Amino acid sequence: MDAKALWQRYQNWLYFHKGLGLYLDISRMGFDDAFVDSLRPKFDKAFADMAELEKGAIANPDEGRMVGHYWLRNPDLAPTPELTQEIVQTLEQIEAFAEKVHTGAIHPPQASQFTDIISVGIGGSALGPQFVAEALSPDFPPLKIHFIDNTDPAGIDRVLTRLQNSLATTLVVVISKSGGTPEPRNGMIEVKAAYAAQNLDFAQYAVAITSVDSNLDQVAKNEGWLARFPMYDWVGGRTSEMSAVGLVPAALQGIDVRGMLEGAKEMDDATRVPDLKNNPAALLALSWYFSGNGKGEKDMVVLPYKDSLLLFSRYLQQLVMESLGKEKDLSGNTVYQGIAVYGNKGSTDQHAYVQQLREGVPNFFATLIEVLEDRQGKSVEIEPGVTSGDFLSGFLLGTQQALYENQRDSITVTIPQVNPKTVGALIALYERAVGLYASLVNINAYHQPGVEAGKKAAAAVLDLQSQVVALLQHQKTPLSLQEIAEKAGASEKVEAIYKIVRHLHANDRGVSLEGDLAKPASLKVSAAK
């Protein structure tokens, strides 16, 4: 396509939201008008599906629950007055709690102010708060946040060691819908032990964000924690940033949560428009469908050209891949749907994987995130008439052009600056795009059977470990791996048993190994003396 035709195509497909100052350019995606026309019936259905969802239709028949993260930023849309009131009251309680913490009305027993936060969560309960903290936390926040988002002992130690001299002024926010998910439960127990080691009463530092009457809620109530905030069964983890999950940590850091909610609400309004060309989420879904042939055949590479948006690709990884990565469609057919997401940031990527994007396997489409404002205040000139921000902008435009010249598709999302309103809008934009795309390919975006399968498999391994340890403690002579498997009634799980005893041995956990470590079948295993 020559430059004049491309300029015309750019103008034809450019979307602009005046209130948010947000642009969306999909002109560098290679679809034609016939392709768009062929998808219009699917989009009509997708718009109708989304409208039903927002009215409270059951989105998860297997779980019998609604999906209503949209109501969090516009409570008047909630299907009952009781839900509307609960959303409004929860936001007011979050703001009141943050204000009391900031003023010292709520403070630790041994000091006048809290100085830090440990946020304990997993998946959506960590990725959203982490993204928002990186994007929006002030340089000198009233409370500095630290995350425990895994059950890695060394990772937990790193956070607790860095805070060992300020644990007495550190607030702990534990986020878990059930209270039984292993990672946040383990993190909570480890943090509790650290407080106990310093003779600190954990309850006077702890906040719970959980479902009403969950295990965690009961613990927090019985132990007299500082505060409890609700998680709703109609908000999934990957769409929970606008709930207490994201708003409590953000408010404590001094981030304008009302601004985030307002930006998300404005974007929700824009993405309800049942007109493909005037709906930015529909334009994204159209582009995804075209690039991957409706089957996720190409990966989504997310390149934000702003350091503060570094974690956006990680946030989108869960939102997109957990929502769209499904084996079955809504009719029960095996379809293996999904879109793989990865990314880093520009212009770092000029020196990393843009080489492959331009000249390697064409198995992707790029999403470039542009921020118009370079910085607050004036920039120095690196060269006459040129600033470092000009270089950043040049790298973005150059990458877009270099990709286009080699027939690589790209999308560009442009925002005026990184602020609470635009971050809220970006989150809402991609939430809606995921919902619309899921309808186009006839899958359920709001359940995650694969995640549940992984949790069950992990639980089975831990049960096997308990069996193996108990068995070894009652043996007088060392056993081979095969003998352990047979005695445990798990003869088909020799490899799993080998990996269990190897891990226990490496951590001095009561297991002794004798033999050639390079030949597992030669090993003899016994309880360590």
Side-chain angles (χ1 to χ4, degrees), residues 42 45 49 289 294 326 328-333 335 337 436-445:
K42 282 182 178 286
K45 180 179 183 300
D49 288 347
Y289 193 100
K326 301 294 159 65
K328 304 285 186 182
D329 68 10
L330 291 171
S331 304
N333 301 311
V335 290
Q337 275 289 355
L436 291 171
Y437 181 88
S439 179
L440 295 181
V441 299
N442 195 38
I443 59 168
N444 185 346

Side-chain angles (χ1 to χ4, degrees), residues 42-70:
K42 282 182 178 286
F43 270 104
D44 290 341
K45 180 179 183 300
F47 293 137
D49 288 347
M50 198 58 66
E52 288 303 306
L53 199 70
E54 290 196 319
K55 291 175 188 172
I58 298 298
N60 266 344
D62 50 341
E63 296 175 16
R65 67 177 177 89
M66 303 178 289
V67 170
H69 47 274
Y70 315 98

